[in-house]
Amino acid sequence: MTSKELRQKFLDFFAGKSHQIVPSAPMVIKDDPTLMFTNAGMNQFKDIFLGNAPVKYPRVANSQKCLRVSGKHNDLEEVGHDTYHHTMFEMLGNWSFGDYFKREAIDWAWEFLVDVLKIDKNRLYATIFEGSPDEGIERDLEAFECWKKHLPEGRILLGNKKDNFWEMGDTGPCGPCTEIHIDLRDDDERKAIPGEQMVNKGHPQVIEIWNLVFIQFNRKANGSLEPLPAKHVDTGMGFERLAMVVQGKKSNYDTDVFTPIIDRISQMCGIPYGTDPKADVAMRVIADHLRAISFSIADGQLPSNVKAGYVIRRILRRAVRYGYTFLNFREPFIDSLVAVLVEQMGDHYPELKAQQTLITNVINKEEATFLRTLETGIKLLEQLIEKAAKENRTEISGKDAFVLYDTYGFPLDLTELILREHNLSVNRSEFDAEMATQKERSRADAAVEADDWINVTNAEKVEFVGYDTLKTDTRIIRMRTVKTKGKEQYHVVLDRTPFYAESGGQVGDSGLLESDSESIKVINTFKENNLIIHLVDRLPQNPNSPFFATVDYEKRIRTANNHSATHLLHNALRAILGTHVEQKGSLVHPDYLRFDFSHFQKMTDEEIRKVEQRVNKLIRQNIQLDEHRSVPMEQAQKMGAIALFGEKYGENVRVIKFGESVELCGGTHTKATGNIGYFKIVSEGAIAAGVRRIEAITGEKAEEFVYSQIDTINQVKSTLGNPPNVIQAVSKLVDENNLLKDQLNTLQAEKLKVVKAELKAKATERNGINLICERISIGNADAIKDLAFQLKNEVPNLFLVLGSEADGKALLTIMINETLVEKHGLNAAAIVKEAAKEIQGGGGGQPFFATAGGKNPDGLDKAIVKAKEAIK
């Protein structure tokens, strides 16, 4: 059975059990501050478990793309070294929201594995929660009774809280789970040691394949558990592991999920897979990381130096490093593997096919950049090796290794590998201390302590009315205190709110929450687990009072205008540049807008002007907003609505139309394009391979920009004496300036000849060294450097010290012939650093040439004497 057939068989099985088959959510999470990546199949259903979203389908199944490289779910270091850990993986899952529970979940899992897939039932084991007397939870007898129908009691094992009690986080829904394990060892091994002794012992052939979670408790902030009113089932099965079982392999990497990619890597590097253990690990790492990188880019996350983008960049660099070290790749190579991945998975995940060109280009540029970084790191490491050899040390400082790792992205294992070739090692305790300090700093920065929500009223849902009004009567549903970086913040949830929560690139609203007795500032509005949360300056004194919510009108209007302008910009870019243009990100702020889009070359000035002209023409046409709420997705697509890759859309969507511009959007918009006023692009540039960024302004900000430009032109005209033609006047001034520069350069060259001759005449010889140590009247640093190099070429064995003054500051220049540097160990950088103390300054450079500057020209003579002493 191929992996494609296996995935479909799972979905068909649960469709036959009345489950709604839903698509995978994006792997990159954009509007949840608690998660960067989807790390489990349940993430997209979290709001249902928390009671913040209604149950649309009581039974659901799907195959979810997941990424586990950060937080408590981090399998990165195991990837490639063992047979079953991955960064990106697919999780097959079925869910029940208040419908069926343990009996059905266990029976159907058994039916699918044994009856449908024909897996040998004698190789299967189940674990159940052993209970926790401390928390008053008994052993999971219900699950035990269910398993007794399928397994002998000896193969139903007790598991501890770590393995068999699932929790979403420090607080929230949780419950016991039952894991299904399989023993894939050979018969002789199974006879020697029974499988029940190997479960959860880390054996690569005795592994968990399916986890059935029974969500029946809520963990409160004080650590206590309370029963949930509705019980849920959340299951997750590793698709790659299941493929290994069904295809009779001993490694996930030997299944058809990975073999086409590994075969291609093997062909490219010329090393047959299976002949070199280190090369095998490298090929597995690259095959795994290729998937994580490609799916992340397809979901809209580009490599960068912050947050999720940094995680993706580190994964990509890790893959490049393995190829560089163990497969001898010195040029970009991962980008050429994208086509193989698209062939493998593009049918089930069409975003890969649609984004193939972008994925390939982004990876290629990132590879090329990091390969240069690797070369830089190796050069720096060679200097550390040379220094250690001179000092007869057997190790390099852990702090130096950490700088290589943290600043230059140079992995520790590569540092250690190169050092071993020179019989050196890293001081690991120092490195680990630096790493621990950084992690502690990161943890402290990210630490958030949230109290339990205080329920004020019993309202079950929040109504957003902000599309239609900026004011409304409301009541507080719940509130809480949150500590971030030691500071307290206050959150409230309202039953009716006009405040737009930050999402889709649009900033959140601010405003006021007022009652008869108090006024509370709403600082920001955001979403967390589908709740619209208002960040306020303090909690209300009387939360049961009726309140009146008012959005900051000016801020909202400017933000809505800018959001509508991004739609017009998107439409104009596609019209001017081509339909390959796709939105890759945006920021809608009251003062400006930012729009990222796919395009593979810099926009010309003419293209930028055409885009501006088209947008402003649409503004002048005063096109009325044509809004369609709760439209079925299929109907929206027929209307021509553009869906963005990496966004999670429901079955019903909101469509925003301004003439030919038709987009799916949940943001706020102006009622007519004329309200935008005027549109002006202020910058256009690259942010990644194949991705450009435009920043633009509208309305009052655009008006301010125009006035600023006019003021600048008027100042130039005034400076030039208000000529009738300012362009001609500026051109004439530039020509005159260039002529004067040429004349000045000629005079300076003549002066240099005179000064050079005078200095050569003053040269003195001491033990084979020609000394020139003088003050000169040249105040230009570049001219002095030119003079120094001329003298070096004309005077053998030169030791040169020049002092000069420019604009009331001291300049000191030292040039030493390379032969003297090598023979006598002289170092211009060290000499100038010491001599610069006399001029109250500092400097540096190379052993043969160095400069310094200081604020005390009166100390130049002493500085020259001090530098001269270096050759005594």
Side-chain angles (χ1 to χ4, degrees):
M1 189 186 301
T2 67
S3 56
K4 292 180 182 179
E5 292 169 339
L6 177 59
R7 186 191 295 113
Q8 193 59 49
K9 197 170 280 287
F10 174 86
L11 298 175
D12 291 344
F13 175 81
F14 280 100
K17 303 292 185 186
S18 303
H19 286 64
Q20 177 70 28
I21 306 303
V22 298
S24 170
M27 194 168 71
V28 180
I29 297 176
K30 297 202 174 119
D31 291 327
D32 185 344
T34 65
L35 275 177
M36 285 194 294
F37 303 103
T38 297
N39 59 20
M42 57 72 58
N43 289 158
Q44 67 168 304
F45 307 115
K46 194 164 65 164
D47 301 329
I48 297 176
F49 295 141
L50 290 166
N52 298 332
V55 175
K56 187 174 289 186
Y57 307 108
R59 300 180 181 187
V60 167
N62 80 340
S63 178
Q64 171 67 50
K65 49 190 179 182
C66 301
L67 189 68
R68 288 188 176 176
V69 289
S70 58
K72 69 176 184 178
H73 295 300
N74 188 348
D75 299 330
L76 185 61
E77 296 308 319
E78 286 79 27
V79 171
H81 291 273
D82 65 17
T83 59
Y84 56 91
H85 277 105
H86 304 288
T87 52
M88 183 266 169
F89 63 97
E90 289 183 76
M91 187 173 281
L92 305 174
N94 59 288
W95 287 267
S96 164
F97 306 118
D99 187 11
Y100 63 82
F101 203 45
K102 296 181 184 180
R103 179 178 59 81
E104 293 89 344
I106 291 171
D107 286 349
W108 289 340
W110 183 264
E111 181 183 349
F112 179 68
L113 294 176
V114 176
D115 298 341
V116 176
L117 298 185
K118 308 300 181 185
I119 293 174
D120 182 359
K121 63 183 180 182
N122 294 314
R123 292 179 176 269
L124 296 176
Y125 297 81
T127 61
I128 63 168
F129 184 44
E130 64 185 5
S132 174
D134 294 343
E135 301 200 87
I137 307 175
E138 296 182 349
R139 187 174 64 157
D140 194 347
L141 292 174
E142 186 179 353
F144 179 74
E145 292 298 324
C146 292
W147 276 119
K148 278 173 60 178
K149 293 188 296 182
H150 308 294
L151 289 169
E153 291 188 23
R155 299 223 305 275
I156 306 171
L157 312 173
L158 298 179
N160 58 25
K161 188 175 177 182
K162 175 179 174 292
D163 292 325
N164 283 87
F165 194 88
W166 180 90
E167 305 203 43
M168 182 186 296
D170 294 333
T171 61
C174 55
C177 61
T178 181
E179 296 177 342
I180 302 173
H181 296 252
I182 189 164
D183 186 351
L184 299 174
R185 295 175 301 155
D186 296 333
D187 290 340
D188 289 344
E189 292 180 85
R190 292 171 63 212
K191 286 178 183 175
I193 305 175
E196 53 264 33
Q197 296 180 24
M198 303 302 295
V199 169
N200 279 331
K201 295 295 190 294
H203 193 288
Q205 260 74 62
V206 185
I207 56 171
E208 172 203 341
I209 54 171
W210 206 342
N211 189 12
L212 316 180
V213 178
F214 308 121
I215 300 174
Q216 59 190 92
F217 300 109
N218 178 48
R219 175 79 67 185
K220 303 187 75 175
N222 64 7
S224 64
L225 294 172
E226 63 180 9
L228 288 171
K231 297 176 180 178
H232 311 295
V233 171
D234 160 21
T235 87
M237 175 159 54
F239 172 66
E240 294 79 7
R241 295 186 183 189
L242 185 63
M244 174 180 69
V245 173
V246 171
Q247 294 178 11
K249 306 296 183 181
K250 293 294 178 73
S251 167
N252 294 0
Y253 294 98
D254 292 338
T255 68
D256 70 337
V257 177
F258 290 98
T259 51
I261 302 170
I262 290 175
D263 289 346
R264 177 66 180 138
I265 298 169
S266 176
Q267 291 169 11
M268 291 168 65
C269 70
I271 303 173
Y273 183 69
T275 59
D276 179 353
K278 290 183 178 179
D280 291 351
V281 168
M283 291 185 209
R284 292 195 291 266
V285 167
I286 294 163
D288 171 275
H289 289 8
L290 168 72
R291 293 167 16 120
I293 300 156
S294 299
F295 274 98
S296 297
I297 296 171
D299 278 350
Q301 182 56 65
L302 300 172
S304 71
N305 281 332
V306 294
K307 297 183 179 177
Y310 184 63
V311 174
I312 302 307
R313 174 165 283 168
R314 293 303 295 267
I315 295 173
L316 177 52
R317 288 183 167 188
R318 195 170 186 268
V320 173
R321 199 280 298 176
Y322 269 93
Y324 183 97
T325 305
F326 302 108
L327 306 180
N328 301 313
F329 286 115
R330 295 295 180 268
E331 299 292 334
F333 68 99
I334 298 173
D335 59 323
S336 61
L337 300 172
V338 175
V340 184
L341 178 65
V342 171
E343 178 66 27
Q344 276 294 103
M345 303 185 74
D347 290 339
H348 190 73
Y349 296 105
E351 62 269 29
L352 280 180
K353 279 185 180 177
Q355 302 286 83
Q356 183 174 349
T357 302
L358 176 69
I359 295 167
T360 303
N361 287 341
V362 170
I363 291 176
N364 176 273
K365 184 174 180 180
E366 283 285 319
E367 282 188 274
T369 300
F370 185 56
L371 283 167
R372 290 194 294 272
T373 299
L374 270 177
E375 290 175 5
T376 302
I378 288 171
K379 287 177 183 176
L380 291 169
L381 186 55
E382 286 173 349
Q383 293 175 14
L384 294 173
I385 291 169
E386 185 178 338
K387 184 180 177 184
K390 283 182 179 178
E391 297 173 1
N392 293 318
R393 289 187 287 108
T394 59
E395 66 177 16
I396 70 166
S397 159
K399 291 183 178 180
D400 287 337
F402 186 78
V403 169
L404 280 171
Y405 163 81
D406 194 46
T407 305
Y408 297 96
F410 206 69
L412 177 64
D413 51 359
L414 180 54
T415 298
E416 291 181 320
L417 179 72
I418 295 170
L419 289 175
R420 279 197 296 273
E421 295 170 358
H422 295 82
N423 297 315
L424 293 169
S425 62
V426 172
N427 186 321
R428 282 300 295 265
S429 60
E430 286 182 359
F431 181 91
D432 292 342
E434 293 291 320
M435 179 66 82
T437 301
Q438 186 196 64
K439 285 183 176 178
E440 186 56 40
R441 201 161 45 235
S442 299
R443 271 196 295 268
D445 288 344
V448 176
E449 297 177 25
D451 291 345
D452 285 326
W453 285 106
I454 300 170
N455 291 319
V456 179
T457 61
N458 294 322
E460 292 185 359
K461 68 173 186 173
V462 175
E463 182 183 3
F464 173 65
V465 296
Y467 292 141
D468 304 310
T469 181
L470 300 186
K471 300 178 180 180
T472 187
D473 293 313
T474 188
R475 285 188 175 274
I476 293 175
I477 298 177
R478 56 175 84 169
M479 59 186 191
R480 71 178 177 186
T481 300
V482 175
K483 287 183 181 177
T484 306
K485 298 181 183 178
K487 295 181 180 178
E488 285 194 342
Q489 294 182 341
Y490 309 100
H491 296 169
V492 299
V493 178
L494 308 175
D495 66 347
R496 281 170 57 85
T497 179
F499 293 92
Y500 180 81
E502 179 181 344
S503 60
Q506 179 176 328
V507 299
D509 280 334
S510 57
L512 289 174
L513 198 55
E514 298 173 293
S515 71
D516 291 338
S517 59
E518 56 185 325
S519 178
I520 299 170
K521 284 184 181 178
V522 177
I523 302 165
N524 191 17
T525 312
F526 61 94
K527 279 187 179 179
E528 184 179 303
N529 299 325
N530 208 43
L531 274 182
I532 297 176
I533 296 176
H534 306 78
L535 175 64
V536 293
D537 64 345
R538 59 185 178 82
L539 292 179
Q541 295 170 354
N542 187 359
N544 291 297
S545 298
F547 282 85
F548 192 71
T550 308
V551 173
D552 182 328
Y553 177 82
E554 288 297 329
K555 179 183 174 185
R556 164 68 88 83
I557 292 301
R558 296 201 312 270
T559 303
N561 288 343
N562 281 342
H563 203 149
S564 298
T566 63
H567 285 216
L568 302 185
L569 172 60
H570 192 188
N571 173 266
L573 287 168
R574 289 172 66 86
I576 303 301
L577 302 180
T579 54
H580 65 279
V581 168
E582 292 174 346
Q583 181 176 335
K584 293 298 167 191
S586 68
L587 174 63
V588 181
H589 189 276
D591 294 336
Y592 63 93
L593 62 95
R594 195 173 72 203
F595 189 79
D596 302 339
F597 60 100
S598 54
H599 187 54
F600 298 103
Q601 61 193 38
K602 178 180 173 60
M603 289 179 67
T604 65
D605 292 342
E606 182 184 4
E607 286 171 336
I608 290 173
R609 180 161 292 187
K610 283 183 177 180
V611 168
E612 288 178 333
Q613 289 172 336
R614 182 179 176 90
V615 172
N616 282 312
K617 183 178 180 180
L618 295 172
I619 290 171
R620 289 192 299 272
Q621 289 174 355
N622 199 29
I623 302 168
Q624 301 298 302
L625 168 64
D626 184 9
E627 177 190 14
H628 300 261
R629 297 182 193 173
S630 197
V631 177
M633 186 64 173
E634 188 176 345
Q635 181 183 336
Q637 290 172 329
K638 288 179 181 177
M639 293 168 66
I642 298 174
L644 305 181
F645 288 104
E647 295 292 336
K648 175 66 178 172
Y649 297 105
E651 291 185 359
N652 293 321
V653 293
R654 179 169 174 256
V655 179
I656 297 296
K657 289 185 68 178
F658 287 107
E660 295 177 6
S661 169
V662 188
E663 297 197 23
L664 304 179
C665 183
T668 64
H669 288 272
T670 186
K671 296 299 181 185
T673 59
N675 295 329
I676 298 170
Y678 180 66
F679 172 86
K680 177 64 185 169
I681 293 174
V682 293
S683 70
E684 187 274 347
I687 60 167
V691 180
R692 312 289 299 177
R693 169 172 291 173
I694 279 176
E695 290 194 5
I697 48 180
T698 67
E700 290 179 14
K701 291 297 178 182
E703 188 178 332
E704 290 172 9
F705 177 84
V706 171
Y707 285 141
S708 172
Q709 297 298 301
I710 292 172
D711 289 344
T712 300
I713 293 170
N714 288 335
Q715 286 174 16
V716 171
K717 288 172 70 175
S718 176
T719 303
L720 296 173
N722 293 309
N725 189 321
V726 70
I727 295 176
Q728 284 183 3
V730 170
S731 296
K732 182 182 177 182
L733 190 65
V734 169
D735 291 341
E736 290 173 353
N737 188 53
N738 288 336
L739 180 61
L740 290 170
K741 272 186 178 178
D742 291 340
Q743 293 173 350
L744 185 62
N745 288 337
T746 302
L747 289 171
Q748 189 165 278
E750 291 299 322
K751 184 176 182 180
L752 277 183
K753 286 181 183 178
V754 173
V755 173
K756 183 172 68 172
E758 291 174 350
L759 291 174
K760 288 171 73 173
K762 293 179 179 179
T764 58
E765 189 268 341
R766 183 183 298 173
N767 295 329
I769 298 174
N770 289 310
L771 299 175
I772 300 177
C773 303
E774 300 288 338
R775 284 187 70 158
I776 57 176
S777 59
I778 298 173
N780 182 289
D782 289 335
I784 296 171
K785 181 178 180 181
D786 184 23
L787 174 63
F789 275 90
Q790 286 185 37
L791 286 167
K792 176 192 166 197
N793 292 331
E794 297 175 20
V795 179
N797 292 334
L798 177 65
F799 183 96
L800 173 71
V801 183
L802 299 177
S804 62
E805 183 178 346
D807 299 325
K809 294 183 179 179
L811 299 175
L812 194 63
T813 302
I814 298 178
M815 171 72 78
I816 307 175
N817 184 282
E818 282 93 339
T819 304
L820 302 181
V821 170
E822 294 172 6
K823 185 176 180 181
H824 298 289
L826 295 172
N827 188 314
I831 296 169
V832 84
K833 187 175 180 182
E834 189 63 30
K837 294 176 181 177
E838 300 294 339
I839 57 173
Q840 296 177 21
Q846 297 168 289
F848 66 92
F849 180 75
T851 60
K855 59 185 179 181
N856 179 25
D858 294 337
L860 275 170
D861 292 333
K862 287 184 179 180
I864 293 170
V865 171
K866 198 169 193 177
K868 189 176 178 180
E869 291 174 352
I871 64 163
K872 284 187 176 179

